[in-house]
Amino acid sequence: MSVVKQVRIGDSIKAGWAAMHANLGLMLGLGVAYGAAMILADRVPGYLKVPATIFEWVVLGIALLTVLYIQRRDGAKVVGVGELPLDAHRVGRFLLVTVLTSLLTLVGILLLVVPGIIWALKYGFASAFVLDEDLGVMESMHASAALTEGVKWELFAQGFAFLGVILLGLLHSWWASFRRP
């Protein structure tokens, strides 16, 4: 019998903010590195798009592994980058599961949008299982499917809540840009 832990959206935001505050320098560094990787992947010539995108995903994998490691430590401050459990096999499996889940979601969206949303929710935690639990690609996809069984509506609602926070931030930025003298 599995136990389902209910997580409130407010508690998620508070825990994330506390971890961000405790590791602000590291988080900002990861954000800058990932932003630079995204810009690089967007601006390279066509023949370099695939390697640049793979590089972007590697940086994303390292950033997510770092965030998961911080979360596992209950948001405690990370002493140094050398403390992080980074290895090539884990990041490689992360890349493979990211490609597979992205393709599944794309196929689902092409099939009528709703299957894509369902598959994105179902397999959305597969990369986390690769990075956090060190599972294989198929094991992580099965674990993600089991984790999200029966809670897809809650995940969908939480996604909309986070989308709302992002849109409020964008609205504030847009509004602030018109208030400058």
Side-chain angles (χ1 to χ4, degrees):
M1 182 170 109
S2 66
V3 177
V4 177
K5 180 181 177 186
Q6 295 293 323
V7 178
R8 295 187 317 217
I9 294 171
D11 293 342
S12 296
I13 293 172
K14 285 178 189 174
W17 180 254
M20 174 76 169
H21 189 283
N23 296 282
L24 188 59
L26 181 59
M27 295 292 204
L28 288 175
L30 289 171
V32 168
Y34 183 61
M38 283 178 29
I39 291 169
L40 174 73
D42 187 51
R43 302 243 162 103
V44 297
Y47 63 93
L48 290 175
K49 286 283 187 196
V50 171
T53 301
I54 290 171
F55 174 72
E56 176 188 352
W57 286 350
V58 167
V59 173
L60 177 62
I62 291 169
L64 288 175
L65 183 58
T66 303
V67 170
L68 287 168
Y69 180 71
I70 290 169
Q71 181 271 333
R72 174 84 39 111
R73 294 171 41 112
D74 293 325
K77 184 163 180 56
V78 173
V79 177
V81 176
E83 183 181 340
L84 300 173
L86 303 175
D87 65 75
H89 295 292
R90 195 177 295 194
V91 173
R93 286 193 311 271
F94 168 80
L95 289 174
L96 187 55
V97 82
T98 300
V99 168
L100 285 174
T101 56
S102 297
L103 288 174
L104 274 172
T105 301
L106 177 64
V107 168
I109 287 172
L110 293 175
L111 287 175
L112 291 174
V113 178
V114 174
I117 293 170
I118 292 170
W119 291 344
L121 293 170
K122 182 176 184 175
Y123 298 116
F125 294 98
S127 59
F129 278 110
V130 167
L131 295 174
D132 194 34
E133 301 292 330
D134 203 16
L135 296 181
V137 173
M138 295 311 294
E139 292 171 308
S140 67
M141 292 178 74
H142 291 300
S144 179
L147 179 69
T148 60
E149 187 65 36
V151 293
K152 288 184 186 68
W153 280 112
E154 289 86 351
L155 291 171
F156 190 70
Q158 189 166 15
F160 263 117
F162 286 129
L163 179 63
V165 169
I166 291 168
L167 290 177
L168 284 174
L170 289 173
L171 181 63
H172 178 268
S173 296
W174 175 76
W175 179 72
S177 69
F178 286 108
R179 291 189 34 101
R180 292 187 189 163

